Amino acid sequence: MKNIVLIENAARPFSEDIRIVERIRSDLKPDILTVISEGEFFSNGLPAGCSAKQRARKWKEAGADLILSLPVSSALGGYGKKDFAAVALIQKLYSAERVILPCCPLPGQTVAECAALLRRCGMLMFRESPDYRERLRENLRLRKSFSDAQMDAVIHCIPEAEKLLGFPENRRSVSILDAMLQLYYLVPVDFVGISQDAQTEKTSDGRLRMFESHAAQRLKALLKNRPGNYLTNISGSTEKTVNRILDLSEEIGEKNRFREIVELAAPLFPSTDMARLFFLRALLNIRHSDMLMSGLHTYVPYCHLLEEQEHKHEEIRHVKEMSWVPFMGTSPSGQSLRGDAVTEILLAMDRKAEELF
């Protein structure tokens, strides 16, 4: 059975996703087309403009057969861990024949030429040459986001990749290639070219406004009612940082948007992204110990089944049977599936994440 896997980029216009599905169906003729959803948050903690469930329905209508998403605890690790989690999930399905990565070639460049240079960039990140490591450390010291720090270090070592890595789609594909190499997951990868104009999806202003308000109000309540040791237990915290956040409690209380709180506290963290991720983990109660538990499952302890094609019941049943990752969703009888004690702790975080919107 041929299972082809595509990793979603929720920032990409869905009209382009429809074309990608059509090309996969036409060129590769998969028995199952599986999409790994972006979920509710990008790897830097910014919320997706459209909910994961809404996007999953669109994927199903477009022709995808199975749409899965990661636990939020696996998605908010920072430092590229979300890409590792996505790759680990695909690896543990044990049925993927190949992975599809979209790319954006430069004018006059073929998809094959674009793919070759992106593969070279991914291999550089995997091998971590001394020049790459030194440039990466310097970029992080300058408070660049982890992704920007990585890509600048790649360009420092491979200058001809600069224009290519100016496109977010290519940067994402390089990160996925690096994660695949780091996990020694050598399934075949095919690249699909997309238009240079297909780079940013329109977002739902109402959804994002709701998130900004809900997250800010809940965070202010948390800082008002929770003791300092609660924050000390949150993944990514240090005692010094927690004390300085508590010193800012009065100023934080004057903010009505989550991003305003993040901007206020950003100087206390290595980067603005890390501030945003920390506050999200605080809202969801993602502790140091929880991240360690997720790590024991190689970045992904389970996945959510968001949508599936009913007429592919037998093929999807086979995927589930092959998988080493439990599928969380609903049973044929309509009952919500439950996991063990550890899984239930992580599932509670997923529910809290949905409540922020």
Side-chain angles (χ1 to χ4, degrees), residues 93-128:
L93 291 178
Y94 281 95
S95 62
E97 182 174 287
R98 60 188 59 238
V99 172
I100 305 298
L101 293 181
C103 67
C104 188
L106 297 174
Q109 187 180 51
T110 66
V111 171
E113 291 168 340
C114 176
L117 188 49
L118 294 180
R119 290 180 190 273
R120 183 180 165 196
C121 293
M123 184 59 71
L124 171 74
M125 290 172 63
F126 168 65
R127 289 178 171 169
E128 293 189 339

PDB file of all heavy atoms in Angstrom, residues 93-128:
ATOM      1  N   LEU A  93       4.761   6.046  11.815  1.00  0.00           N
ATOM      2  CA  LEU A  93       3.607   5.466  11.131  1.00  0.00           C
ATOM      3  C   LEU A  93       3.976   4.137  10.475  1.00  0.00           C
ATOM      4  O   LEU A  93       3.126   3.269  10.285  1.00  0.00           O
ATOM      5  CB  LEU A  93       3.084   6.433  10.057  1.00  0.00           C
ATOM      6  CG  LEU A  93       2.422   7.724  10.538  1.00  0.00           C
ATOM      7  CD1 LEU A  93       2.022   8.584   9.350  1.00  0.00           C
ATOM      8  CD2 LEU A  93       1.208   7.428  11.410  1.00  0.00           C
ATOM      9  N   TYR A  94       5.235   3.985  10.119  1.00  0.00           N
ATOM     10  CA  TYR A  94       5.751   2.752   9.515  1.00  0.00           C
ATOM     11  C   TYR A  94       4.985   2.341   8.253  1.00  0.00           C
ATOM     12  O   TYR A  94       4.922   1.168   7.910  1.00  0.00           O
ATOM     13  CB  TYR A  94       5.772   1.601  10.522  1.00  0.00           C
ATOM     14  CG  TYR A  94       6.946   1.674  11.447  1.00  0.00           C
ATOM     15  CD1 TYR A  94       6.824   2.282  12.692  1.00  0.00           C
ATOM     16  CD2 TYR A  94       8.188   1.196  11.075  1.00  0.00           C
ATOM     17  CE1 TYR A  94       7.912   2.398  13.544  1.00  0.00           C
ATOM     18  CE2 TYR A  94       9.287   1.304  11.920  1.00  0.00           C
ATOM     19  CZ  TYR A  94       9.141   1.895  13.149  1.00  0.00           C
ATOM     20  OH  TYR A  94      10.217   2.022  13.985  1.00  0.00           O
ATOM     21  N   SER A  95       4.382   3.322   7.567  1.00  0.00           N
ATOM     22  CA  SER A  95       3.695   2.989   6.324  1.00  0.00           C
ATOM     23  C   SER A  95       3.954   4.027   5.245  1.00  0.00           C
ATOM     24  O   SER A  95       3.476   3.872   4.121  1.00  0.00           O
ATOM     25  CB  SER A  95       2.183   2.883   6.565  1.00  0.00           C
ATOM     26  OG  SER A  95       1.648   4.118   7.003  1.00  0.00           O
ATOM     27  N   ALA A  96       4.729   5.064   5.566  1.00  0.00           N
ATOM     28  CA  ALA A  96       4.982   6.120   4.592  1.00  0.00           C
ATOM     29  C   ALA A  96       5.975   5.635   3.545  1.00  0.00           C
ATOM     30  O   ALA A  96       7.071   5.183   3.878  1.00  0.00           O
ATOM     31  CB  ALA A  96       5.512   7.366   5.285  1.00  0.00           C
ATOM     32  N   GLU A  97       5.597   5.752   2.298  1.00  0.00           N
ATOM     33  CA  GLU A  97       6.495   5.352   1.210  1.00  0.00           C
ATOM     34  C   GLU A  97       7.416   6.493   0.814  1.00  0.00           C
ATOM     35  O   GLU A  97       8.561   6.286   0.441  1.00  0.00           O
ATOM     36  CB  GLU A  97       5.707   4.889  -0.010  1.00  0.00           C
ATOM     37  CG  GLU A  97       6.592   4.427  -1.154  1.00  0.00           C
ATOM     38  CD  GLU A  97       5.799   3.829  -2.287  1.00  0.00           C
ATOM     39  OE1 GLU A  97       5.298   2.701  -2.104  1.00  0.00           O
ATOM     40  OE2 GLU A  97       5.675   4.480  -3.334  1.00  0.00           O
ATOM     41  N   ARG A  98       6.890   7.720   0.893  1.00  0.00           N
ATOM     42  CA  ARG A  98       7.708   8.893   0.610  1.00  0.00           C
ATOM     43  C   ARG A  98       7.074  10.134   1.209  1.00  0.00           C
ATOM     44  O   ARG A  98       5.893  10.139   1.544  1.00  0.00           O
ATOM     45  CB  ARG A  98       7.944   9.069  -0.886  1.00  0.00           C
ATOM     46  CG  ARG A  98       6.699   9.238  -1.725  1.00  0.00           C
ATOM     47  CD  ARG A  98       7.062   9.213  -3.231  1.00  0.00           C
ATOM     48  NE  ARG A  98       7.700   7.971  -3.589  1.00  0.00           N
ATOM     49  CZ  ARG A  98       8.908   7.860  -4.129  1.00  0.00           C
ATOM     50  NH1 ARG A  98       9.621   8.946  -4.381  1.00  0.00           N
ATOM     51  NH2 ARG A  98       9.427   6.689  -4.426  1.00  0.00           N
ATOM     52  N   VAL A  99       7.892  11.167   1.342  1.00  0.00           N
ATOM     53  CA  VAL A  99       7.453  12.444   1.907  1.00  0.00           C
ATOM     54  C   VAL A  99       7.529  13.501   0.808  1.00  0.00           C
ATOM     55  O   VAL A  99       8.497  13.538   0.033  1.00  0.00           O
ATOM     56  CB  VAL A  99       8.336  12.864   3.104  1.00  0.00           C
ATOM     57  CG1 VAL A  99       8.011  14.276   3.567  1.00  0.00           C
ATOM     58  CG2 VAL A  99       8.155  11.874   4.254  1.00  0.00           C
ATOM     59  N   ILE A 100       6.513  14.365   0.739  1.00  0.00           N
ATOM     60  CA  ILE A 100       6.470  15.441  -0.234  1.00  0.00           C
ATOM     61  C   ILE A 100       6.839  16.757   0.443  1.00  0.00           C
ATOM     62  O   ILE A 100       6.263  17.116   1.467  1.00  0.00           O
ATOM     63  CB  ILE A 100       5.071  15.569  -0.865  1.00  0.00           C
ATOM     64  CG1 ILE A 100       4.624  14.239  -1.471  1.00  0.00           C
ATOM     65  CG2 ILE A 100       5.043  16.689  -1.903  1.00  0.00           C
ATOM     66  CD1 ILE A 100       5.491  13.747  -2.588  1.00  0.00           C
ATOM     67  N   LEU A 101       7.808  17.482  -0.134  1.00  0.00           N
ATOM     68  CA  LEU A 101       8.196  18.788   0.376  1.00  0.00           C
ATOM     69  C   LEU A 101       7.999  19.826  -0.721  1.00  0.00           C
ATOM     70  O   LEU A 101       8.612  19.727  -1.786  1.00  0.00           O
ATOM     71  CB  LEU A 101       9.658  18.792   0.825  1.00  0.00           C
ATOM     72  CG  LEU A 101      10.020  17.937   2.040  1.00  0.00           C
ATOM     73  CD1 LEU A 101      11.497  18.069   2.355  1.00  0.00           C
ATOM     74  CD2 LEU A 101       9.185  18.323   3.258  1.00  0.00           C
ATOM     75  N   PRO A 102       7.151  20.817  -0.508  1.00  0.00           N
ATOM     76  CA  PRO A 102       7.023  21.898  -1.479  1.00  0.00           C
ATOM     77  C   PRO A 102       8.287  22.761  -1.504  1.00  0.00           C
ATOM     78  O   PRO A 102       9.000  22.872  -0.503  1.00  0.00           O
ATOM     79  CB  PRO A 102       5.831  22.711  -0.969  1.00  0.00           C
ATOM     80  CG  PRO A 102       5.093  21.766  -0.068  1.00  0.00           C
ATOM     81  CD  PRO A 102       6.157  20.930   0.566  1.00  0.00           C
ATOM     82  N   CYS A 103       8.588  23.346  -2.653  1.00  0.00           N
ATOM     83  CA  CYS A 103       9.714  24.256  -2.761  1.00  0.00           C
ATOM     84  C   CYS A 103       9.357  25.372  -3.728  1.00  0.00           C
ATOM     85  O   CYS A 103       8.442  25.242  -4.543  1.00  0.00           O
ATOM     86  CB  CYS A 103      10.985  23.540  -3.205  1.00  0.00           C
ATOM     87  SG  CYS A 103      10.932  22.906  -4.897  1.00  0.00           S
ATOM     88  N   CYS A 104      10.081  26.455  -3.614  1.00  0.00           N
ATOM     89  CA  CYS A 104       9.820  27.637  -4.439  1.00  0.00           C
ATOM     90  C   CYS A 104      11.077  27.954  -5.243  1.00  0.00           C
ATOM     91  O   CYS A 104      11.977  28.639  -4.742  1.00  0.00           O
ATOM     92  CB  CYS A 104       9.429  28.805  -3.546  1.00  0.00           C
ATOM     93  SG  CYS A 104       8.875  30.250  -4.445  1.00  0.00           S
ATOM     94  N   PRO A 105      11.190  27.473  -6.489  1.00  0.00           N
ATOM     95  CA  PRO A 105      12.395  27.735  -7.296  1.00  0.00           C
ATOM     96  C   PRO A 105      12.529  29.205  -7.664  1.00  0.00           C
ATOM     97  O   PRO A 105      11.544  29.941  -7.737  1.00  0.00           O
ATOM     98  CB  PRO A 105      12.167  26.878  -8.557  1.00  0.00           C
ATOM     99  CG  PRO A 105      11.096  25.905  -8.193  1.00  0.00           C
ATOM    100  CD  PRO A 105      10.237  26.596  -7.176  1.00  0.00           C
ATOM    101  N   LEU A 106      13.752  29.620  -7.897  1.00  0.00           N
ATOM    102  CA  LEU A 106      14.013  30.967  -8.370  1.00  0.00           C
ATOM    103  C   LEU A 106      13.672  31.059  -9.857  1.00  0.00           C
ATOM    104  O   LEU A 106      13.577  30.034 -10.542  1.00  0.00           O
ATOM    105  CB  LEU A 106      15.480  31.317  -8.149  1.00  0.00           C
ATOM    106  CG  LEU A 106      15.964  31.344  -6.692  1.00  0.00           C
ATOM    107  CD1 LEU A 106      17.475  31.565  -6.643  1.00  0.00           C
ATOM    108  CD2 LEU A 106      15.241  32.429  -5.900  1.00  0.00           C
ATOM    109  N   PRO A 107      13.485  32.248 -10.394  1.00  0.00           N
ATOM    110  CA  PRO A 107      13.224  32.389 -11.825  1.00  0.00           C
ATOM    111  C   PRO A 107      14.323  31.730 -12.655  1.00  0.00           C
ATOM    112  O   PRO A 107      15.518  31.938 -12.413  1.00  0.00           O
ATOM    113  CB  PRO A 107      13.211  33.913 -12.031  1.00  0.00           C
ATOM    114  CG  PRO A 107      12.811  34.461 -10.703  1.00  0.00           C
ATOM    115  CD  PRO A 107      13.431  33.557  -9.693  1.00  0.00           C
ATOM    116  N   GLY A 108      13.917  30.900 -13.618  1.00  0.00           N
ATOM    117  CA  GLY A 108      14.863  30.198 -14.462  1.00  0.00           C
ATOM    118  C   GLY A 108      15.438  28.932 -13.854  1.00  0.00           C
ATOM    119  O   GLY A 108      16.222  28.219 -14.492  1.00  0.00           O
ATOM    120  N   GLN A 109      15.064  28.627 -12.624  1.00  0.00           N
ATOM    121  CA  GLN A 109      15.575  27.449 -11.918  1.00  0.00           C
ATOM    122  C   GLN A 109      14.547  26.338 -11.967  1.00  0.00           C
ATOM    123  O   GLN A 109      13.358  26.567 -11.762  1.00  0.00           O
ATOM    124  CB  GLN A 109      15.892  27.812 -10.468  1.00  0.00           C
ATOM    125  CG  GLN A 109      16.578  26.723  -9.654  1.00  0.00           C
ATOM    126  CD  GLN A 109      16.838  27.182  -8.220  1.00  0.00           C
ATOM    127  OE1 GLN A 109      15.929  27.658  -7.542  1.00  0.00           O
ATOM    128  NE2 GLN A 109      18.068  27.069  -7.771  1.00  0.00           N
ATOM    129  N   THR A 110      14.976  25.112 -12.251  1.00  0.00           N
ATOM    130  CA  THR A 110      14.054  23.988 -12.257  1.00  0.00           C
ATOM    131  C   THR A 110      13.807  23.505 -10.840  1.00  0.00           C
ATOM    132  O   THR A 110      14.574  23.824  -9.915  1.00  0.00           O
ATOM    133  CB  THR A 110      14.614  22.826 -13.084  1.00  0.00           C
ATOM    134  OG1 THR A 110      15.786  22.304 -12.423  1.00  0.00           O
ATOM    135  CG2 THR A 110      14.979  23.262 -14.498  1.00  0.00           C
ATOM    136  N   VAL A 111      12.755  22.728 -10.658  1.00  0.00           N
ATOM    137  CA  VAL A 111      12.468  22.150  -9.342  1.00  0.00           C
ATOM    138  C   VAL A 111      13.627  21.258  -8.908  1.00  0.00           C
ATOM    139  O   VAL A 111      14.024  21.256  -7.736  1.00  0.00           O
ATOM    140  CB  VAL A 111      11.145  21.357  -9.379  1.00  0.00           C
ATOM    141  CG1 VAL A 111      10.959  20.571  -8.086  1.00  0.00           C
ATOM    142  CG2 VAL A 111       9.961  22.294  -9.588  1.00  0.00           C
ATOM    143  N   ALA A 112      14.183  20.497  -9.845  1.00  0.00           N
ATOM    144  CA  ALA A 112      15.298  19.601  -9.517  1.00  0.00           C
ATOM    145  C   ALA A 112      16.510  20.393  -9.033  1.00  0.00           C
ATOM    146  O   ALA A 112      17.194  19.993  -8.076  1.00  0.00           O
ATOM    147  CB  ALA A 112      15.663  18.749 -10.732  1.00  0.00           C
ATOM    148  N   GLU A 113      16.800  21.517  -9.688  1.00  0.00           N
ATOM    149  CA  GLU A 113      17.935  22.346  -9.277  1.00  0.00           C
ATOM    150  C   GLU A 113      17.677  22.969  -7.909  1.00  0.00           C
ATOM    151  O   GLU A 113      18.580  23.031  -7.060  1.00  0.00           O
ATOM    152  CB  GLU A 113      18.177  23.436 -10.320  1.00  0.00           C
ATOM    153  CG  GLU A 113      18.705  22.911 -11.639  1.00  0.00           C
ATOM    154  CD  GLU A 113      18.678  23.947 -12.752  1.00  0.00           C
ATOM    155  OE1 GLU A 113      17.906  24.935 -12.618  1.00  0.00           O
ATOM    156  OE2 GLU A 113      19.410  23.784 -13.745  1.00  0.00           O
ATOM    157  N   CYS A 114      16.458  23.419  -7.704  1.00  0.00           N
ATOM    158  CA  CYS A 114      16.085  23.974  -6.400  1.00  0.00           C
ATOM    159  C   CYS A 114      16.220  22.915  -5.313  1.00  0.00           C
ATOM    160  O   CYS A 114      16.800  23.161  -4.250  1.00  0.00           O
ATOM    161  CB  CYS A 114      14.659  24.497  -6.468  1.00  0.00           C
ATOM    162  SG  CYS A 114      13.993  25.130  -4.906  1.00  0.00           S
ATOM    163  N   ALA A 115      15.708  21.727  -5.584  1.00  0.00           N
ATOM    164  CA  ALA A 115      15.743  20.636  -4.604  1.00  0.00           C
ATOM    165  C   ALA A 115      17.175  20.251  -4.255  1.00  0.00           C
ATOM    166  O   ALA A 115      17.491  19.983  -3.089  1.00  0.00           O
ATOM    167  CB  ALA A 115      14.981  19.435  -5.147  1.00  0.00           C
ATOM    168  N   ALA A 116      18.046  20.233  -5.261  1.00  0.00           N
ATOM    169  CA  ALA A 116      19.438  19.840  -5.015  1.00  0.00           C
ATOM    170  C   ALA A 116      20.117  20.805  -4.055  1.00  0.00           C
ATOM    171  O   ALA A 116      20.853  20.385  -3.145  1.00  0.00           O
ATOM    172  CB  ALA A 116      20.198  19.780  -6.340  1.00  0.00           C
ATOM    173  N   LEU A 117      19.857  22.108  -4.223  1.00  0.00           N
ATOM    174  CA  LEU A 117      20.478  23.084  -3.333  1.00  0.00           C
ATOM    175  C   LEU A 117      19.860  23.021  -1.937  1.00  0.00           C
ATOM    176  O   LEU A 117      20.563  23.157  -0.928  1.00  0.00           O
ATOM    177  CB  LEU A 117      20.326  24.486  -3.919  1.00  0.00           C
ATOM    178  CG  LEU A 117      21.077  25.622  -3.203  1.00  0.00           C
ATOM    179  CD1 LEU A 117      22.539  25.256  -2.939  1.00  0.00           C
ATOM    180  CD2 LEU A 117      20.997  26.906  -4.017  1.00  0.00           C
ATOM    181  N   LEU A 118      18.558  22.776  -1.850  1.00  0.00           N
ATOM    182  CA  LEU A 118      17.920  22.642  -0.542  1.00  0.00           C
ATOM    183  C   LEU A 118      18.444  21.409   0.193  1.00  0.00           C
ATOM    184  O   LEU A 118      18.663  21.446   1.412  1.00  0.00           O
ATOM    185  CB  LEU A 118      16.401  22.567  -0.690  1.00  0.00           C
ATOM    186  CG  LEU A 118      15.716  23.827  -1.225  1.00  0.00           C
ATOM    187  CD1 LEU A 118      14.203  23.617  -1.325  1.00  0.00           C
ATOM    188  CD2 LEU A 118      16.013  25.038  -0.351  1.00  0.00           C
ATOM    189  N   ARG A 119      18.651  20.331  -0.539  1.00  0.00           N
ATOM    190  CA  ARG A 119      19.228  19.124   0.091  1.00  0.00           C
ATOM    191  C   ARG A 119      20.634  19.411   0.620  1.00  0.00           C
ATOM    192  O   ARG A 119      21.018  18.940   1.696  1.00  0.00           O
ATOM    193  CB  ARG A 119      19.269  17.976  -0.916  1.00  0.00           C
ATOM    194  CG  ARG A 119      17.901  17.411  -1.297  1.00  0.00           C
ATOM    195  CD  ARG A 119      18.073  16.283  -2.306  1.00  0.00           C
ATOM    196  NE  ARG A 119      16.831  15.854  -2.887  1.00  0.00           N
ATOM    197  CZ  ARG A 119      16.016  14.932  -2.366  1.00  0.00           C
ATOM    198  NH1 ARG A 119      16.353  14.361  -1.215  1.00  0.00           N
ATOM    199  NH2 ARG A 119      14.898  14.586  -2.967  1.00  0.00           N
ATOM    200  N   ARG A 120      21.395  20.175  -0.139  1.00  0.00           N
ATOM    201  CA  ARG A 120      22.746  20.536   0.293  1.00  0.00           C
ATOM    202  C   ARG A 120      22.691  21.361   1.570  1.00  0.00           C
ATOM    203  O   ARG A 120      23.492  21.165   2.493  1.00  0.00           O
ATOM    204  CB  ARG A 120      23.437  21.323  -0.828  1.00  0.00           C
ATOM    205  CG  ARG A 120      24.876  21.699  -0.535  1.00  0.00           C
ATOM    206  CD  ARG A 120      25.452  22.471  -1.713  1.00  0.00           C
ATOM    207  NE  ARG A 120      26.681  23.135  -1.356  1.00  0.00           N
ATOM    208  CZ  ARG A 120      27.238  24.108  -2.060  1.00  0.00           C
ATOM    209  NH1 ARG A 120      26.647  24.531  -3.179  1.00  0.00           N
ATOM    210  NH2 ARG A 120      28.366  24.673  -1.658  1.00  0.00           N
ATOM    211  N   CYS A 121      21.727  22.283   1.648  1.00  0.00           N
ATOM    212  CA  CYS A 121      21.568  23.092   2.868  1.00  0.00           C
ATOM    213  C   CYS A 121      21.194  22.215   4.062  1.00  0.00           C
ATOM    214  O   CYS A 121      21.708  22.387   5.171  1.00  0.00           O
ATOM    215  CB  CYS A 121      20.506  24.149   2.643  1.00  0.00           C
ATOM    216  SG  CYS A 121      20.932  25.422   1.430  1.00  0.00           S
ATOM    217  N   GLY A 122      20.271  21.276   3.841  1.00  0.00           N
ATOM    218  CA  GLY A 122      19.865  20.371   4.908  1.00  0.00           C
ATOM    219  C   GLY A 122      21.030  19.525   5.409  1.00  0.00           C
ATOM    220  O   GLY A 122      21.187  19.295   6.614  1.00  0.00           O
ATOM    221  N   MET A 123      21.866  19.056   4.484  1.00  0.00           N
ATOM    222  CA  MET A 123      23.029  18.252   4.878  1.00  0.00           C
ATOM    223  C   MET A 123      24.023  19.085   5.666  1.00  0.00           C
ATOM    224  O   MET A 123      24.631  18.595   6.629  1.00  0.00           O
ATOM    225  CB  MET A 123      23.690  17.677   3.627  1.00  0.00           C
ATOM    226  CG  MET A 123      24.865  16.742   3.916  1.00  0.00           C
ATOM    227  SD  MET A 123      24.400  15.290   4.933  1.00  0.00           S
ATOM    228  CE  MET A 123      23.428  14.358   3.715  1.00  0.00           C
ATOM    229  N   LEU A 124      24.188  20.364   5.304  1.00  0.00           N
ATOM    230  CA  LEU A 124      25.083  21.230   6.065  1.00  0.00           C
ATOM    231  C   LEU A 124      24.609  21.370   7.503  1.00  0.00           C
ATOM    232  O   LEU A 124      25.401  21.269   8.452  1.00  0.00           O
ATOM    233  CB  LEU A 124      25.142  22.613   5.404  1.00  0.00           C
ATOM    234  CG  LEU A 124      25.881  23.688   6.207  1.00  0.00           C
ATOM    235  CD1 LEU A 124      27.382  23.455   6.157  1.00  0.00           C
ATOM    236  CD2 LEU A 124      25.532  25.077   5.710  1.00  0.00           C
ATOM    237  N   MET A 125      23.298  21.586   7.686  1.00  0.00           N
ATOM    238  CA  MET A 125      22.754  21.710   9.036  1.00  0.00           C
ATOM    239  C   MET A 125      22.951  20.429   9.823  1.00  0.00           C
ATOM    240  O   MET A 125      23.261  20.459  11.020  1.00  0.00           O
ATOM    241  CB  MET A 125      21.273  22.076   8.971  1.00  0.00           C
ATOM    242  CG  MET A 125      21.013  23.487   8.476  1.00  0.00           C
ATOM    243  SD  MET A 125      19.259  23.832   8.189  1.00  0.00           S
ATOM    244  CE  MET A 125      18.583  23.650   9.840  1.00  0.00           C
ATOM    245  N   PHE A 126      22.789  19.295   9.162  1.00  0.00           N
ATOM    246  CA  PHE A 126      22.950  18.006   9.829  1.00  0.00           C
ATOM    247  C   PHE A 126      24.395  17.792  10.280  1.00  0.00           C
ATOM    248  O   PHE A 126      24.650  17.352  11.400  1.00  0.00           O
ATOM    249  CB  PHE A 126      22.503  16.895   8.889  1.00  0.00           C
ATOM    250  CG  PHE A 126      22.885  15.514   9.335  1.00  0.00           C
ATOM    251  CD1 PHE A 126      22.366  14.971  10.499  1.00  0.00           C
ATOM    252  CD2 PHE A 126      23.773  14.749   8.587  1.00  0.00           C
ATOM    253  CE1 PHE A 126      22.713  13.692  10.917  1.00  0.00           C
ATOM    254  CE2 PHE A 126      24.125  13.474   8.994  1.00  0.00           C
ATOM    255  CZ  PHE A 126      23.596  12.939  10.158  1.00  0.00           C
ATOM    256  N   ARG A 127      25.323  18.119   9.412  1.00  0.00           N
ATOM    257  CA  ARG A 127      26.738  17.866   9.718  1.00  0.00           C
ATOM    258  C   ARG A 127      27.321  18.896  10.673  1.00  0.00           C
ATOM    259  O   ARG A 127      28.332  18.640  11.331  1.00  0.00           O
ATOM    260  CB  ARG A 127      27.537  17.838   8.416  1.00  0.00           C
ATOM    261  CG  ARG A 127      27.240  16.591   7.569  1.00  0.00           C
ATOM    262  CD  ARG A 127      28.009  16.612   6.265  1.00  0.00           C
ATOM    263  NE  ARG A 127      27.878  15.330   5.566  1.00  0.00           N
ATOM    264  CZ  ARG A 127      28.264  15.114   4.315  1.00  0.00           C
ATOM    265  NH1 ARG A 127      28.833  16.105   3.624  1.00  0.00           N
ATOM    266  NH2 ARG A 127      28.103  13.929   3.753  1.00  0.00           N
ATOM    267  N   GLU A 128      26.731  20.092  10.740  1.00  0.00           N
ATOM    268  CA  GLU A 128      27.151  21.134  11.672  1.00  0.00           C
ATOM    269  C   GLU A 128      28.655  21.379  11.604  1.00  0.00           C
ATOM    270  O   GLU A 128      29.390  21.139  12.560  1.00  0.00           O
ATOM    271  CB  GLU A 128      26.742  20.781  13.105  1.00  0.00           C
ATOM    272  CG  GLU A 128      25.251  20.787  13.346  1.00  0.00           C
ATOM    273  CD  GLU A 128      24.899  20.651  14.805  1.00  0.00           C
ATOM    274  OE1 GLU A 128      25.751  20.164  15.579  1.00  0.00           O
ATOM    275  OE2 GLU A 128      23.795  21.040  15.186  1.00  0.00           O
TER     276      GLU A 128
END
